[in-house]
Amino acid sequence: MSTCSDCKSFFPREDEPGKGDCVRRVVDPRQAYYTTRPKNPEEDASGCGEFRKR
């Protein structure tokens, strides 16, 4: 089973140990930007379509 902490997009938070953010780059026809979502590092990532192994 893969977890969020095994993904290249997961970054642990320095101010809150045990939590992290899923950061992804999104490109549309006019611009590129980053999205973030708070995540638990032990959350199951098997259903995530954007999972990329570290």
Side-chain angles (χ1 to χ4, degrees):
M1 175 175 84
S2 299
T3 60
C4 288
S5 61
D6 296 331
C7 181
K8 285 184 178 183
S9 298
F10 181 81
F11 295 92
R13 295 188 61 167
E14 294 177 4
D15 59 339
E16 293 184 55
K19 294 187 179 184
D21 291 321
C22 179
V23 180
R24 298 213 176 107
R25 186 169 189 252
V26 179
V27 179
D28 65 26
R30 296 182 65 199
Q31 63 186 353
Y33 56 94
Y34 290 91
T35 62
T36 63
R37 288 185 290 155
K39 290 287 186 178
N40 180 357
E42 300 306 318
E43 190 172 323
D44 183 17
S46 60
C48 181
E50 300 285 331
F51 180 80
R52 295 180 299 152
K53 186 79 172 158
R54 280 187 192 241

